[in-house]
Amino acid sequence: MTEFASLDGKIALVTGGSRGIGAAISRELGRAGARVAVNYRSGKDAADAVAAEVGGIAVAANVGDPADTQALVERVESELGDVDVLVNNAGITRDTLIARMSDEDWDEVIDTNLRGTFNTCRAVSRKMLRRRSGAIVNLTSVVGLHGNPGQANYAASKAGIIGLTKALARELGTRGVRVNAVAPGYISTELTDVLSEELRGVILANTPLGRLGSPEDVAAAVRFLCSDEAAFITGDVLLVDGGLGM
Ligand code: NDP
């Protein structure tokens, strides 16, 4: 019997797969039968550990850099095979109020989050189109839907990812390639460890399920969207947020 949302025999590339939500996604896709390439930027030891756990490979690349990203995809193709499943998870924050936001704060976040997602989608798209199959899942955020003070750069990058997702869903759909986004609420990772107790309290008060999410909560949704169980779902933005963003 086929396991629910199985990815048996698929080749998956997870950007920023070395820790946090990306590591949980790498483990979940590996558990579902995929061979996983775990991308990272600087945390080699963490990426190696996740790759060893899932029987995949760890590949360093800055997804914000087009040449680096092209090399990343070519390395995955030569070591594992053509990419069936792409999860754009790599993301950073550089939070501050707009009056104090430097050009570097803006550029780094847009380059990693939005340009990075574009770079990987472009690098895998030709082969996915030729093979008439593929699944792409892009990590956005409730902040990309609703905004958040102090996160103009991050919110813009995540809203941009939603537009990119929908444009690609329309462009690639007739050729069998599905493109969806997952919008987590607040998830316990290093990215959110820095939240003040006060802000944490506000978030919990506005989350009907009354807790922060876990990386595994997000990974399960990503796995579903990557699988054939989601064969008729494209261009969607699936909230995984305990009800925060509805
Ligand atoms: P973490 O900070 O825990 O992990 C980020 C990952 O991205 C690391 O593996 C890091 O690798 C990698 N990374 C960062 N920059 C680059 C780059 N330029 N190229 C390649 N890899 C890079 O983040 P989270 O797990 O919390 O978040 C994962 C995704 O989920 C992000 O897109 C984030 O915006 C989104 N999200 C998170 C939420 C949360 O509450 N945590 C809420 C909503 C969305 P390395 O360690 O090597 O630098």
Side-chain angles (χ1 to χ4, degrees), residues 84-161:
D84 299 295
V85 166
L86 167 65
V87 181
N88 280 303
N89 164 84
I92 60 168
T93 52
R94 296 284 181 271
D95 297 352
T96 190
L97 299 174
I98 188 151
R100 290 195 213 120
M101 191 171 282
S102 66
D103 291 337
E104 289 73 28
D105 291 334
W106 177 267
D107 288 345
E108 276 183 46
V109 169
I110 298 293
D111 280 354
T112 302
N113 300 5
L114 182 54
R115 183 184 287 276
T117 303
F118 162 72
N119 285 338
T120 52
C121 287
R122 183 174 58 181
V124 302
S125 65
R126 196 167 297 134
K127 287 208 170 154
M128 283 188 176
L129 284 171
R130 202 179 300 148
R131 297 163 63 221
R132 292 186 166 268
S133 82
I136 298 174
V137 176
N138 299 324
L139 271 286
T140 176
S141 165
V142 284
V143 169
L145 290 162
H146 297 285
N148 201 25
Q151 291 199 305
N153 49 2
Y154 184 75
S157 74
K158 293 299 186 180
I161 286 173

Side-chain angles (χ1 to χ4, degrees), residues 16-22 39-43 61-64 89-92 112 139-141 154 158 184-187 189-192:
S18 56
R19 57 190 164 87
I21 295 170
N39 158 252
Y40 65 101
R41 185 182 49 186
S42 54
N62 171 9
V63 294
N89 164 84
I92 60 168
T112 302
L139 271 286
T140 176
S141 165
Y154 184 75
K158 293 299 186 180
Y186 286 86
I187 309 297
T189 70
E190 287 173 40
L191 204 73
T192 47

